[in-house]
Amino acid sequence: MDYGGALYALGSWAETRSDVRALVLTGSAAQGADHPLSDRDIQVFTTDIPALLDDESWWARLGEVLVVERLEDGDGNPTRLVYYSGGKLDFTLLAAGDLEGRVYERPFTVLLDKDGTADTASHRPATASAPAAAEFWESVNWAWAAALMEAKAVVRDEPWSAKLRDQDLKAELLRMIEWDHRARYGGDFDTRYLGTRLRWWMDDDVQAELEHCWSGFGARETERALLATVGLYRRLAERTAQRLDFAVFDHERVAAELHTILRSGPR
């Protein structure tokens, strides 16, 4: 996909629509990243969101459409994640008035602004707060619960179930990795989103341990990856709890139960 040509065509279309008031490019492309596999994240500010949802020709003509995800973002705004041959455009549809005074956590680029409203928008990096004690304990309990259930699935030779539980465990591991880094480097340390650019922000020793945290379907290798995952999670959880002055969790007691389960039957 020719991103330059696609954005130009999108802007030309928007100029002809009285309901489309602004286009804003966000994401890594707005920060200067030009990786060939980088998406383009575009916010469409409009006075008539239903019209753009009903007529999908405006994005369908930008390239050869392969797959479309029709979703909502975390704030309930409709999104269209469009996979084209050779590229991907992620559209978020927003009310025209939402651009006024809007604060972006990362740099953004204004592609179109018919009303001059983008002049009131600003970029202000967010400072991530440390987890509250309740949030921290939620993660610890969820992580160990997932680990115990994964161990049972391993013993029962249920690899698919094991992978589903491992996904839950990995989600908590990533959450703990992010907390650990921010606890040590400051609340404004950028841990990105869903592990993106981990090679850039994540400590080398953590990355090295992560190499052992995944496996195929085999029971023995799944068990090894499980133990590596809980080992890393525990180390980071203990370090983070100490830095944030949280109470000590009895990881050893749950780890003992995990090993008991893994020794309880043939695999």
Side-chain angles (χ1 to χ4, degrees):
M1 153 168 265
D2 175 9
Y3 280 125
L7 294 182
Y8 178 82
L10 181 68
S12 298
W13 161 82
E15 288 282 9
T16 69
R17 298 279 302 222
S18 61
D19 55 334
V20 179
R21 308 311 302 168
L23 300 173
V24 176
L25 178 70
T26 64
S28 59
Q31 301 175 56
D34 194 27
H35 193 283
L37 294 181
S38 294
D39 306 337
R40 297 298 185 268
D41 302 294
I42 304 162
Q43 295 178 333
V44 181
F45 293 88
T46 176
T47 58
D48 194 348
I49 291 177
L52 297 187
L53 294 177
D54 290 340
D55 179 13
E56 299 184 337
S57 64
W58 57 276
W59 51 256
R61 62 168 62 99
L62 298 177
E64 182 185 351
V65 177
L66 302 177
V67 179
V68 181
E69 292 182 285
R70 297 169 175 82
L71 306 170
E72 292 183 350
D73 66 10
D75 296 322
N77 301 303
T79 65
R80 294 297 180 265
L81 314 185
V82 188
Y83 298 75
Y84 300 88
S85 177
K88 178 171 175 275
L89 299 176
D90 294 353
F91 298 102
T92 302
L93 304 185
L94 299 161
D98 289 348
L99 182 55
E100 184 172 1
R102 193 173 187 86
V103 177
Y104 290 91
E105 295 182 1
R106 293 190 170 88
F108 62 97
T109 300
V110 179
L111 302 177
L112 175 70
D113 182 17
K114 295 179 180 178
D115 306 315
T117 312
D119 291 341
T120 67
S122 61
H123 165 227
R124 190 180 310 138
T127 299
S129 59
E135 187 179 15
F136 180 85
W137 288 111
E138 174 187 82
S139 176
V140 172
N141 280 275
W142 286 5
W144 277 114
L148 292 172
M149 292 304 296
E150 181 179 351
K152 292 180 180 180
V154 170
V155 172
R156 294 169 179 165
D157 192 23
E158 297 173 350
W160 198 287
S161 295
K163 292 301 181 187
L164 292 176
R165 290 298 184 174
D166 185 61
Q167 180 178 338
D168 297 335
L169 176 56
K170 291 300 194 295
E172 296 309 318
L173 175 59
L174 178 58
R175 188 153 62 145
M176 191 59 68
I177 290 172
E178 294 171 346
W179 288 340
D180 168 69
H181 281 67
R182 292 201 294 266
R184 290 183 293 115
Y185 299 129
D188 58 350
F189 185 80
D190 190 359
T191 57
R192 307 296 294 184
Y193 176 70
L194 290 180
T196 56
R197 297 192 69 187
L198 67 84
R199 300 297 189 194
W200 172 74
W201 64 263
M202 194 178 295
D203 284 352
D204 290 342
D205 65 322
V206 175
Q207 292 188 45
E209 289 189 59
L210 284 175
E211 295 286 348
H212 306 286
C213 292
W214 274 266
S215 72
F217 258 25
R220 292 293 183 185
E221 58 177 316
T222 300
E223 178 180 330
R224 286 193 294 269
L226 169 60
L227 294 176
T229 302
V230 296
L232 176 57
Y233 182 90
R234 175 179 175 176
R235 178 171 75 83
L236 299 182
E238 289 175 337
R239 182 164 69 184
T240 302
Q242 184 177 26
R243 282 187 170 271
L244 298 180
D245 198 26
F246 290 157
V248 177
F249 181 82
D250 192 351
H251 294 276
E252 188 61 37
R253 187 162 61 99
V254 190
E257 178 67 12
L258 181 73
H259 284 279
T260 298
I261 293 171
L262 291 172
R263 294 193 302 265
S264 64
R267 295 181 293 282

